Amino acid sequence: MEENIIINSSLKEKEKIVIANKKRDRNKFFIISVISVVIFLIIWQLITDVFKLFPSYSLPSPYTVFKSFIYKLTNKAPDNGTLFQHILASLQVALTGYFLGAAIGIPLGICMAWFKKFNLVATPLFDLIRPIPTIAWIPMMILWFGIGLGAKSAIVFMSAFVPCVINTYSGIKATTQVHLWVAQTFGASRGQMLKEVAIPTALPYIFTGLRVSLGASWTSLCAAEMLAASRGLGFMIQLNRQLARADLIIVGMLTIGAVGAILSVGLGYLEKKFVKR
């Protein structure tokens, strides 16, 4: 009894040490990240405002970009929308295409990996579509869906669809055959083996696919919003390029990066909740 108490207390102490080390590493990473960003901004400020290595119309200073950011929070000029309106328009396009890509790509990847006959039919077609770059679909999407939300979401869909299929397929195929044999020995049907063994095993791969798809969806946003859009971060960047407003172009670029990072953090939280390591 006493030995069990000693072992339990020792395990708790080790667990506390591990947690403390993880917390210290997170704090160290945060401090280093902040320092690197500050150094980058200082170098940027020196290049633009102090040494004036670039003209202000091609590379504005961080202070100018910050003023433009504050201005775009409440003003629509010159691109017919405030920054929040552009963000909401872009999220509508990106998330619609992303969720459609995940909703179709994940089940397709499961079916291709689990059902051999289905795989024989689907794989040649998928291998034919997979290498086509997203931007090459733009003319066909215009013909099929016009120039509205449907066409732009369909372009994002193609970016999200392929990584979901590939990673889900790889995850199901990575299921250990021994685990399937054990489940079969206990009387599990093939459907039960898929549900209870293969899919849980594939979850880390599936979330990797979702993460890659999210990045691909967000980066294909500019191409999608070239389709006669009147709102959106991609439209904002394109229009201000024509107006030679480098400050607002950088504001749009940094906003795309910031929103993408927030979405990635949210997906990481869901992964930690559903995937057991």
Side-chain angles (χ1 to χ4, degrees), residues 57 68 71 77-78 239-250:
Y57 63 83
S68 299
Y71 170 82
L239 183 62
N240 284 290
R241 178 187 64 83
Q242 298 172 9
L243 300 174
R245 289 291 305 271
D247 53 337
L248 292 177
I249 292 173
I250 294 175

Side-chain angles (χ1 to χ4, degrees), residues 41-222:
L41 291 175
I42 291 173
I43 293 173
W44 183 4
Q45 185 71 27
L46 290 173
I47 289 174
T48 52
D49 270 2
V50 178
F51 299 113
K52 299 186 184 299
L53 299 179
F54 295 92
S56 59
Y57 63 83
S58 65
L59 183 62
S61 67
Y63 179 68
T64 302
V65 173
F66 178 73
K67 285 197 302 182
S68 299
F69 170 77
I70 298 299
Y71 170 82
K72 283 302 296 176
L73 291 177
T74 55
N75 291 273
K76 293 185 177 182
D79 43 52
N80 192 37
T82 65
L83 188 60
F84 287 115
Q85 288 174 332
H86 287 306
I87 291 172
L88 290 176
S90 293
L91 284 174
Q92 184 182 19
V93 173
L95 294 182
T96 300
Y98 172 72
F99 285 126
L100 283 174
I104 296 175
I106 292 174
L108 181 61
I110 292 173
C111 292
M112 287 171 60
W114 193 252
F115 302 105
K116 292 182 179 179
K117 292 182 178 179
F118 183 84
N119 186 41
L120 292 174
V121 176
T123 297
L125 297 174
F126 178 74
D127 288 340
L128 183 64
I129 294 173
R130 182 179 62 177
I132 301 175
T134 302
I135 198 169
W137 287 98
I138 291 179
M140 294 305 299
M141 296 307 177
I142 294 175
L143 290 174
W144 291 343
F145 302 106
I147 57 174
L149 175 63
K152 290 177 283 188
S153 298
I155 293 170
V156 176
F157 164 81
M158 295 307 302
S159 298
F161 169 74
V162 173
C164 282
V165 174
I166 293 173
N167 284 274
T168 302
Y169 180 91
S170 300
I172 297 296
K173 285 296 186 182
T175 305
T176 306
Q177 195 64 37
V178 174
H179 294 166
L180 297 176
W181 289 339
V182 171
Q184 194 173 22
T185 302
F186 282 95
S189 65
R190 188 159 175 79
Q192 289 174 324
M193 287 191 291
L194 174 63
K195 180 182 177 182
E196 302 296 336
V197 180
I199 291 178
T201 300
L203 276 179
Y205 292 82
I206 292 173
F207 271 97
T208 299
L210 289 172
R211 191 181 292 276
V212 173
S213 295
L214 181 63
S217 300
W218 200 237
T219 52
S220 65
L221 195 63
C222 290

